[in-house]
Amino acid sequence: GTAAVCVGLTTQLSGSGTPAIFGTWSSSALSIATVSSVGLVTGFSAGTATITYTDINGCQDTQLVTVNPIPVISGTASVCIGSTTQLSGTGTATVSGAWSSSDVAVATINSTGLVTGVAAGTATITYTDINGCQDTQLVTVNALPVISGTASVCVGLTTQLSGTGSPAATGAWNTSSAAVATVSSTGLVTGVSAGTATVTYTDINGCQDTQLVTVNALPVIS
């Protein structure tokens, strides 16, 4: 039978001939691997254990069983639609299919663990190491916020913009050109000089939307 198993999983061993009536199977290290009366080995902790099989004549064979640790996924487990987050897994990755997503309509993942958000929702990411042991990570894909409000203003006047969802605690609103238009922490845009400026809104998940604001020059009476 297969002489390697992951922590928490099982592997089935069998012995030739007629098994002993009692104590057919035993393990040298129960803290690493146990074995049932029918030869089912369960991995408990990383390491090795010697499994002994005894037949009806009292003759024995032994098998060294390796219990491999479960890999661990690390990295930021949330991402915005259209953005990426890098995950990594401990140990050596399996040669092919190391990373997979339970729902590619929500999030995809490439062969190096780079997750791309596709649509709002959750997807389970699975990492498989070279020993066939796996870890999973639930990844949340957050929807992009939406800016609304009048996107034009006269020099010296204001226009109120708003963004969906909860704003970031700091720096929720920003402008690409404070010489053209400034924006307050609540989304109030003030026209400074004629031109255009890109206003960016960031929500509590770090997702962003942008709005091009036009600042119109004041007319002149002559």
Side-chain angles (χ1 to χ4, degrees):
T2 302
V5 65
C6 303
V7 170
L9 299 184
T10 60
T11 183
Q12 181 67 56
L13 301 182
S14 61
S16 59
T18 304
I21 297 173
F22 299 106
T24 307
W25 294 93
S26 63
S27 169
S28 65
L30 297 177
S31 62
I32 293 174
T34 61
V35 61
S36 74
S37 60
V38 295
L40 186 69
V41 177
T42 301
F44 274 93
S45 62
T48 57
T50 300
I51 302 298
T52 302
Y53 168 75
T54 306
D55 69 12
I56 199 168
N57 300 310
C59 301
Q60 294 180 326
D61 187 26
T62 60
Q63 175 66 60
L64 189 68
V65 170
T66 301
V67 180
N68 296 302
I70 297 295
V72 178
I73 295 174
S74 60
T76 303
S78 64
V79 65
C80 304
I81 291 176
S83 296
T84 60
T85 183
Q86 182 68 54
L87 300 181
S88 61
T90 55
T92 303
T94 189
V95 177
S96 62
W99 294 95
S100 63
S101 169
S102 66
D103 192 345
V104 294
V106 173
T108 60
I109 188 165
N110 71 6
S111 60
T112 64
L114 187 69
V115 178
T116 301
V118 178
T122 57
T124 300
I125 302 298
T126 302
Y127 169 73
T128 306
D129 69 12
I130 199 168
N131 299 310
C133 301
Q134 295 182 328
D135 188 26
T136 59
Q137 175 66 62
L138 189 67
V139 170
T140 300
V141 179
N142 298 301
L144 296 177
V146 177
I147 294 174
S148 59
T150 303
S152 64
V153 64
C154 299
V155 170
L157 298 184
T158 61
T159 182
Q160 181 67 54
L161 300 182
S162 62
T164 56
S166 299
T170 58
W173 293 94
N174 288 284
T175 176
S176 64
S177 179
V180 173
T182 61
V183 61
S184 73
S185 60
T186 61
L188 186 68
V189 177
T190 301
V192 178
S193 63
T196 58
T198 300
V199 172
T200 302
Y201 169 72
T202 306
D203 70 13
I204 199 169
N205 298 311
C207 302
Q208 295 181 327
D209 189 25
T210 60
Q211 176 65 61
L212 188 67
V213 172
T214 300
V215 180
N216 298 300
L218 295 178
V220 177
I221 295 174
S222 60

